[in-house]
Amino acid sequence: MLDIYARSLLEATRVGNTDRQDPETKKRLAKEAAQEAILERIWRRRPYWL
C-alpha cells in the first residue's frame, strides 16, 4: 500500500525536459520578480516626513 503512494508521489514530482523553462522565460520572470520587489520596497517604505 505504501509503495503505491510512493510511486504516485514520484510520478507527480518528476521533472522532465518539457517542464523546464526556456532562457527567455527565465529572464522575463526574473525581471518581473525584480520589478515587483522594487515596487514592494517603495510601497513599504516610511513617508519622507517621518
Side-chain angles (χ1 to χ4, degrees):
M1 185 72 172
L2 199 56
D3 61 336
I4 294 171
Y5 289 120
R7 191 177 313 126
S8 64
L9 178 66
L10 286 174
E11 289 177 3
T13 57
R14 182 174 41 193
V15 177
N17 289 337
T18 58
D19 295 334
R20 294 196 184 104
Q21 298 170 344
D22 59 323
E24 291 85 20
T25 305
K26 284 184 179 181
K27 288 179 188 176
R28 183 180 53 81
L29 290 174
K31 189 176 179 182
E32 289 176 2
Q35 182 66 25
E36 288 177 7
I38 291 170
L39 293 175
E40 183 177 353
R41 198 174 334 141
I42 290 171
W43 175 256
R44 292 183 179 266
R45 74 176 178 198
R46 293 176 33 178
Y48 64 90
W49 60 84
L50 291 180

